[in-house]
Amino acid sequence: MKDALADVLRTGRFTQLTSYQRFGYMVGALLILSGVFHGVVYLIDGGAWAGPLSWRKPIVFGLSFGVTLLTITWFMNFLRPRRLAGWLLVGTFGFAAMGEVFLISMQTWRGVASHFNNTTPFDESVFSAMGTLVSVVGLITLIITVWSFVRLDAPASLAIAIRLGLVLMLVSQGVGVQMIVEGGNTFGSAGALKVPHAFTLHAVQVLPALALVLLASESSERRRIRIVGLGAAGYAALIASTMAQTYAGRAPLDLSIPATVLAIIGVCLLVATAVLALLGLTRRSRPPVGPSSTSPVSRSSPATS
């Protein structure tokens, strides 16, 4: 297992840091700490988890933006931009993410809604600024996605996972735009747009993580590609399930037959890919048995003094 971890670090190029990556990782860590801090505040202060005035928003947005920024910063290892381009991409994404989480947290501490709040000119300007910052994040994501299809220095299985994750991240941001158009998080009578929004957003972590585990196994690259494709199909089925539920105007737990079938298929495929990946690591870490395990020294004749 130690060798497998070393291979993950080597293949993922986690030790190769540029100045803009250090900035991205630092800001991402701060955003995650912000989410954790507000989680502690929620445990102390209490209150409802749902609703426009919940501590949920600074918690979820801090964690989500933080993890996403860490992921985007890591992707730079495979896009290999020049330093200026790297700073423009990671730096702009980082500042926009910090601004978004700061404004959401500020409004929550003020005791007012952060989203869709046009109560006062100040609240309206805050929500407008949040929309601008999210648009900047979307633009950077689009640039990185297009770039990944033009040049991506990564093994084929990992490259597929990164590209699919980025495309689904764009889909997530498209759902976010629809929330603004709808004037809230609900489609129809009870469709929760934030559910497909969240599922599509975090494919950019799940699929590359699966590919990294596979790269640490003894599987062939062709087999890794097939397993990543299976995992992507499973994740797509889960997303389709949330989409079917949401755009039918039904609440997340008001399960329809098509959404349930898609969810079951998606979960089964994802579990299967996880098992296959972990089995690959197990086979690698299992010590060899039989004559081949005998060391060269023990097979040789006794040394003479």
Side-chain angles (χ1 to χ4, degrees):
M1 191 59 69
K2 183 178 179 181
D3 290 340
L5 179 59
D7 273 355
V8 167
L9 293 175
R10 177 182 54 80
T11 307
R13 304 173 189 173
F14 289 101
T15 58
Q16 302 176 15
L17 296 181
T18 62
S19 56
Y20 58 82
Q21 283 182 303
R22 292 189 184 93
F23 169 80
Y25 287 137
M26 179 187 69
V27 173
L30 289 175
L31 291 173
I32 291 174
L33 286 175
S34 171
V36 172
F37 168 75
H38 284 98
V40 174
V41 172
Y42 171 70
L43 292 176
I44 296 173
D45 185 60
W49 175 255
L53 299 179
S54 170
W55 290 109
R56 169 184 57 84
K57 291 204 171 183
I59 295 171
V60 171
F61 278 85
L63 295 175
S64 182
F65 269 104
V67 171
T68 302
L69 177 57
L70 294 178
T71 305
I72 292 296
T73 302
W74 172 56
F75 285 171
M76 294 300 110
N77 286 325
F78 307 102
L79 293 174
R80 306 179 83 172
R82 294 183 182 274
R83 179 173 298 181
L84 177 59
W87 270 109
L88 287 174
L89 292 173
V90 175
T92 304
F93 196 111
F95 279 116
M98 277 195 298
E100 184 77 8
V101 173
F102 170 78
L103 291 176
I104 292 170
S105 302
M106 178 190 72
Q107 293 293 75
T108 304
W109 280 97
R110 291 181 63 231
V112 299
S114 56
H115 291 76
F116 309 104
N117 185 356
N118 299 316
T119 306
T120 68
F122 177 77
D123 292 326
E124 186 175 3
S125 65
V126 169
F127 183 51
S128 177
M130 287 166 53
T132 301
L133 292 171
V134 167
S135 298
V136 170
V137 168
L139 177 61
I140 298 299
T141 304
L142 177 61
I143 293 172
I144 293 174
T145 303
V146 173
W147 195 336
S148 73
F149 280 91
V150 175
R151 186 183 69 181
L152 192 64
D153 180 23
S157 54
L158 180 58
I160 291 171
I162 290 174
R163 288 166 179 154
L164 289 176
L166 286 169
V167 168
L168 289 174
M169 186 174 170
L170 288 175
V171 173
S172 172
Q173 291 166 350
V175 176
V177 171
Q178 187 174 10
M179 291 183 191
I180 297 175
V181 173
E182 295 289 333
N185 298 325
T186 304
F187 179 85
S189 58
L193 286 167
K194 56 189 175 183
V195 176
H197 175 65
F199 267 91
T200 50
L201 176 63
H202 292 295
V204 79
Q205 284 90 41
V206 174
L207 296 179
L210 172 63
L212 272 181
V213 173
L214 288 168
L215 285 170
S217 70
E218 292 187 341
S219 303
S220 66
E221 186 61 17
R222 180 177 296 181
R223 186 169 186 270
R224 290 170 186 152
I225 291 172
R226 287 200 298 266
I227 295 175
V228 167
L230 191 66
Y235 207 96
L238 278 180
I239 292 173
S241 171
T242 63
M243 293 282 193
Q245 192 77 1
T246 298
Y247 291 111
R250 303 175 68 144
L253 297 180
D254 181 19
L255 297 175
S256 64
I257 292 177
T260 302
V261 171
L262 286 170
I264 292 173
I265 293 173
V267 169
C268 289
L269 289 176
L270 285 173
V271 169
T273 57
V275 169
L276 290 171
L278 293 176
L279 284 176
L281 287 182
T282 303
R283 285 195 299 268
R284 173 181 177 138
S285 60
R286 186 182 302 153
V289 295
S292 60
S293 63
T294 306
S295 66
V297 173
S298 63
R299 287 197 304 266
S300 61
S301 58
T304 58
S305 58

